[in-house]
Amino acid sequence: KIAAKQYSYDSLYIPRSITELDDQWQHIETIESPSELIKNDDILFISGPAGSGKTQYIHQIRQCADDNDLVISLSCAKTAQSSEDLLSCIFHEFERIAGIRTFYSVDNFKRLLNVKHLVLILDGMDEIATQTGTKKFVNKVEKFYASNSKNVTLIFTSRNADDANTIA
């Protein structure tokens, strides 16, 4: 009988470097770790086929967050379908994961975002069913980011690399 050896997620993680390119595909910067990635106040796009490691990389990003980071993950499809603005969607997810229902208001949450670094993971952009839904979603993100871009890292994930052109 062979005993199964158990592995933690950390022992299975394979470090990857991320290369940032400009519009002409020229090298700008190489980011060696998820902890470097979340400290950039930038818009990032992670794509790859099913099983390529996008979700594992997101888990690694979460593990690298510190007390100054607020990591919130939203489904792109659900966010696109919601009638709420993006800040309200983020706030309701914060309430859900924190288990806090009465202490915070949207205004209090805005003040929290002024002192914390928000890492907003917008997961599964390829799961938005229609082109109209994708446009609605991108408009929602643009409105939020236009007034809140200081101290915010946006990370989009998709199986379709062409979705990056929608947010560019």
Side-chain angles (χ1 to χ4, degrees):
K1 184 175 179 179
I2 300 173
K5 185 172 182 184
Q6 299 214 353
Y7 293 92
S8 70
Y9 176 77
D10 291 332
S11 64
L12 295 175
Y13 175 69
I14 300 169
R16 295 171 175 87
S17 64
I18 295 176
T19 302
E20 183 179 359
L21 305 174
D22 65 15
D23 295 347
Q24 286 75 43
W25 297 92
Q26 299 298 313
H27 181 269
I28 296 174
E29 177 183 13
T30 300
I31 299 171
E32 295 297 336
S33 73
S35 61
E36 287 179 60
L37 181 103
I38 63 174
K39 296 305 176 194
N40 286 332
D41 296 338
D42 212 342
I43 300 172
L44 305 157
F45 190 84
I46 300 172
S47 68
S52 63
K54 297 180 300 296
T55 301
Q56 281 108 349
Y57 199 76
I58 295 301
H59 288 303
Q60 191 67 21
I61 288 170
R62 287 182 179 283
Q63 289 180 343
C64 291
D66 61 29
D67 289 342
N68 294 319
D69 299 314
L70 177 59
V71 182
I72 302 284
S73 184
L74 297 175
S75 159
C76 293
K78 287 180 184 175
T79 304
Q81 291 172 355
S82 172
S83 61
E84 297 180 312
D85 64 8
L86 188 59
L87 179 63
S88 295
C89 292
I90 296 166
F91 172 64
H92 289 120
E93 181 61 11
F94 170 75
E95 280 187 317
R96 188 189 71 74
I97 61 177
I100 301 169
R101 296 278 182 230
T102 57
F103 178 73
Y104 277 94
S105 65
V106 173
D107 288 335
N108 285 345
F109 186 66
K110 283 182 186 178
R111 287 192 277 284
L112 177 66
L113 292 180
N114 287 330
V115 296
K116 294 281 189 181
H117 175 244
L118 174 63
V119 180
L120 180 59
I121 301 164
L122 299 163
D123 192 27
M125 194 168 171
D126 56 301
E127 295 172 6
I128 300 174
T130 65
Q131 191 71 9
T132 304
T134 301
K135 287 179 184 176
K136 180 181 173 184
F137 169 74
V138 170
N139 286 338
K140 203 179 273 198
V141 174
E142 286 175 345
K143 284 179 186 173
F144 170 78
Y145 195 70
S147 61
N148 297 288
S149 61
K150 180 184 154 263
N151 213 23
V152 173
T153 300
L154 294 179
I155 302 173
F156 293 85
T157 71
S158 178
R159 290 181 180 145
N160 183 358
D162 290 338
D163 283 339
N165 297 329
T166 310
I167 60 172

